[in-house]
Amino acid sequence: VLDSQYGMYVWPCAVVLAQYLWAHRRSLPGKRVLEVGAGVSLPGVLAAKCGAQVVLSDSEELPQCLRNCRKSCLMNQLPHVPVMGLTWGRESPQLLTLEPVDIILGSDVFFDPKDFEDILSTIYFLLEKNPHAQFWTTYQVRSADWSIEALLCKWKLKSTPIPLHSFGADKEHLASSSLPGRHTIEMMIVSLAQSDGT
C-alpha cells in the first residue's frame, strides 16, 4: 500500500518488526497477539500466517486505517482475523473486554511525542491485565530529544533493547526493500518492571 500518510504505508519499522517475528516464527503458533497502530498490518498479518491468534487494531478515529487492516487480511487470505478500533489513552469498551494477549506488537507507534504517554498508558493497561505479556516494538530514531525513558519509569515499565543484528535486520536491504538501511531503526521489548522484581 503506497500512500504517504502514516497508517497507510509499509514503513521501515514494520519491515524490521516483521523480520523479528519471522526469526521467532516457531514460537508464534497459538500465541495471542494484538497489533496496535496496525495501519497496513504487516507484522500482525505475518504473525497470523505463522499460526498466532491475532487481533489487529488502529485508532477508532481513523476508519481508513481500519479499512486497510481489513484489506490486508483479505488480500492475505485471513478473513477471520478481527480488526478493532482502539484509540491510545482511551479506556474504551473494546479495550476493557479484550481477550488475554501474550504479545503486543507496535511498529513506529512512537512517531509523534504528543502521543507517547497515551501509547504507554494503553500498553501499561494491557500489561497489567496480562502480566506475562510483552510489547515488541520497533521505532525510527527521528530526534535525540525524543525519549520515552521518563515515561517508562512513570508507568512502571522496563525496556530491553534488541540489537538488529541478532535477527538479521541490520542489512541495507531487507525484504527486497532498501528503506530499513536508510533509516535508524531500533527495537525494544517492553514489559512490566515489577514482573521480575526490578
Side-chain angles (χ1 to χ4, degrees):
V1 178
L2 299 176
D3 187 321
S4 61
Q5 294 182 5
Y6 56 85
M8 303 189 193
Y9 183 82
V10 179
W11 292 96
C13 287
V15 177
V16 173
L17 186 54
Q19 176 79 7
Y20 187 78
L21 287 160
W22 183 249
H24 293 85
R25 63 192 175 276
R26 287 179 184 82
S27 68
L28 292 174
K31 289 278 197 276
R32 299 161 302 185
V33 173
L34 168 69
E35 184 175 4
V36 297
V40 293
S41 320
L42 174 62
V45 163
L46 179 63
K49 286 285 198 181
C50 290
Q53 300 169 25
V54 174
V55 174
L56 301 174
S57 73
D58 211 312
S59 174
E60 54 202 333
E61 298 165 3
L62 299 172
Q64 182 62 38
C65 287
L66 295 172
R67 283 194 292 276
N68 281 341
C69 288
R70 290 183 185 98
K71 281 183 191 175
S72 291
C73 291
L74 292 174
M75 288 171 31
N76 286 283
Q77 292 80 47
L78 297 168
H80 62 282
V81 172
V83 175
M84 62 181 265
L86 181 67
T87 302
W88 302 324
R90 186 178 301 162
E91 288 187 18
S92 63
Q94 295 92 325
L95 180 63
L96 296 171
T97 59
L98 189 66
E99 295 289 319
V101 296
D102 301 305
I103 301 166
I104 305 157
L105 301 174
S107 66
D108 217 2
V109 295
F110 295 107
F111 177 82
D112 190 339
K114 73 175 176 49
D115 295 327
F116 290 2
E117 183 144 27
D118 286 342
I119 294 163
L120 288 176
S121 69
T122 299
I123 295 304
Y124 176 78
F125 178 85
L126 291 165
L127 293 176
E128 274 283 294
K129 278 182 65 173
N130 304 276
H132 300 293
Q134 296 179 328
F135 176 42
W136 296 0
T137 184
T138 50
Y139 58 96
Q140 182 174 330
V141 178
R142 293 184 171 88
S143 170
D145 297 333
W146 294 3
S147 174
I148 63 167
E149 290 304 316
L151 289 172
L152 288 169
C153 288
K154 176 180 178 179
W155 287 99
K156 300 180 179 72
L157 298 169
K158 69 172 182 174
S159 67
T160 304
I162 307 296
L164 269 54
H165 69 83
S166 70
F167 57 99
D170 59 337
K171 303 169 185 158
E172 186 167 339
H173 295 278
L174 188 60
S176 301
S177 168
S178 61
L179 290 171
R182 295 183 187 159
H183 303 280
T184 302
I185 308 295
E186 296 191 6
M187 179 172 177
M188 66 180 163
I189 294 178
V190 175
S191 55
L192 290 176
Q194 66 266 28
S195 64
D196 66 1
T198 60

